[in-house]
Amino acid sequence: MDYSNRDKNKTRRRKYFITKRLDRLFLELYQIYAFVSRFFREVFFPPYEGREIIKQCYEVGVKSLPLITITAFIIGIVFTNQSRPSLAEFGATSWLPALISVAIVRAMGPLVTAIIASGKVGSSIGAELGSMRVTEQIDAMEVSATNPYKFLVVSRVLATTLMIPALTMYTTLVALLGGYVNVHQNELTTLTTFFTQVFDAITFLDIIAASVKSVLFGFTIGMVGCYKGYYSSKGTEGVGKAANSSVVTAMFLIFIEELLTMQVINAIRVM
């Protein structure tokens, strides 16, 4: 019996190291690791794309203000209106400003901002870079001795990382104003009294935690959108998939990050 021929036939028939799906999974994980690690290598060394970063900050921040303003104001009113009956059962409606501030500053402000941004900004980045990949504009930049990763990815990730915390502070303020409108309408609470109770209820740790989460959410939105768009394929269909998967993946990671950071912050708060 010729064992050598049998071994050769087995080697020829074996196309995958483990299985097709597992091989693709590990290759995808390595590609993600290489993409993220390249950002930290590129961001600290020149050339710096200052104009492109400012442009992307405008696209991420200023153009998101109308949608975030309306959404945050409505959330403040709705949350206040829904919380009032529960507190009224115990005669504790005077605690409404404190309850609103804790809920919005600790969780709702960063989370709502990140969800809105992942839907608006993340899909835009994924579609834009995906269309550039499909139309071979990224390849043309590489041929012309331009670093497409530095110009396209680093600038957009920096813009989302810088602007999402700023948008979070704005969202928090607008949501608190929405809560004040509802409280003033029902309890005739003055603006000074309302915000005095708001700031008495939150701590410096709450503000730091919200800022850290916002930075993390912004980095995630930018990185996911850039990754999905940078490696898109299959023509116009790939552009649509890149935009859609950017939103879904970013939201999924944001909720996981919210859960993990909440556990860490609560552990610090107990210490």
Side-chain angles (χ1 to χ4, degrees):
M1 186 177 293
D2 192 351
Y3 291 100
S4 61
N5 291 334
R6 182 185 295 180
D7 294 338
K8 288 180 180 179
N9 292 332
K10 287 183 178 179
T11 304
R12 290 172 183 172
R13 288 196 301 267
R14 186 176 183 180
K15 296 180 180 180
Y16 306 104
F17 186 75
I18 305 175
T19 62
K20 183 178 180 179
R21 290 185 177 181
L22 287 177
D23 284 5
R24 285 182 177 179
L25 174 62
F26 285 115
L27 287 173
E28 182 80 9
L29 291 175
Y30 175 76
Q31 195 174 35
I32 293 171
Y33 165 77
F35 190 82
V36 175
S37 61
R38 184 179 178 183
F39 170 81
F40 291 103
R41 292 196 304 269
E42 297 276 2
V43 70
F44 297 108
F45 299 100
Y48 302 109
E49 304 291 345
R51 290 185 178 180
E52 183 65 17
I53 293 172
I54 294 173
K55 176 186 174 183
Q56 293 304 320
C57 286
Y58 176 80
E59 294 289 333
V60 174
V62 177
K63 288 191 174 182
S64 299
L65 287 178
L67 178 61
I68 285 181
T69 302
I70 296 172
T71 306
F73 192 77
I74 293 174
I75 285 175
I77 294 175
V78 171
F79 180 78
T80 306
N81 204 34
Q82 293 295 326
S83 302
R84 179 176 287 101
S86 299
L87 293 178
E89 291 181 0
F90 302 96
T93 53
S94 60
W95 292 359
L96 263 176
L99 176 64
I100 296 167
S101 66
V102 170
I104 291 176
V105 173
R106 289 186 182 180
M108 292 180 65
L111 195 59
V112 168
T113 306
I115 291 173
I116 295 173
S118 63
K120 185 180 184 300
V121 178
S123 61
S124 175
I125 292 175
E128 184 180 7
L129 267 62
S131 62
M132 293 182 70
R133 171 62 71 183
V134 170
T135 56
E136 299 181 352
Q137 295 181 50
I138 296 178
D139 298 330
M141 293 176 68
E142 293 176 347
V143 172
S144 62
T146 303
N147 186 349
Y149 190 95
K150 171 80 76 173
F151 185 80
L152 298 175
V153 177
V154 174
S155 60
R156 284 162 174 77
V157 175
L158 280 178
T160 55
T161 305
L162 294 173
M163 295 310 298
I164 297 301
L167 289 174
T168 298
M169 290 188 288
Y170 178 76
T171 302
T172 302
L173 177 61
V174 174
L176 289 174
L177 287 175
Y180 164 73
V181 169
N182 190 278
V183 171
H184 178 72
Q185 184 180 6
N186 290 273
E187 282 81 33
L188 300 179
T189 305
T190 63
L191 183 65
T192 304
T193 304
F194 179 84
F195 277 97
T196 300
Q197 295 180 18
V198 163
F199 287 108
D200 286 342
I202 59 176
T203 63
F204 185 71
L205 179 61
D206 295 329
I207 299 174
I208 294 297
S211 302
V212 171
K213 286 195 293 184
S214 300
V215 171
L216 189 60
F217 293 162
F219 178 81
T220 301
I221 293 168
M223 189 59 68
V224 170
C226 289
Y227 175 80
K228 294 294 184 180
Y230 201 82
Y231 290 110
S232 64
S233 58
K234 299 181 181 179
T236 55
E237 180 184 355
V239 176
K241 287 184 177 180
N244 182 60
S245 59
S246 297
V247 177
V248 174
T249 306
M251 285 187 178
F252 176 73
L253 293 176
I254 285 168
F255 283 116
I256 292 178
E257 291 167 355
E258 171 69 21
L259 176 63
L260 296 177
T261 53
M262 181 182 65
Q263 298 299 324
V264 174
I265 293 166
N266 287 338
I268 296 174
R269 189 174 282 110
V270 171
M271 293 173 59

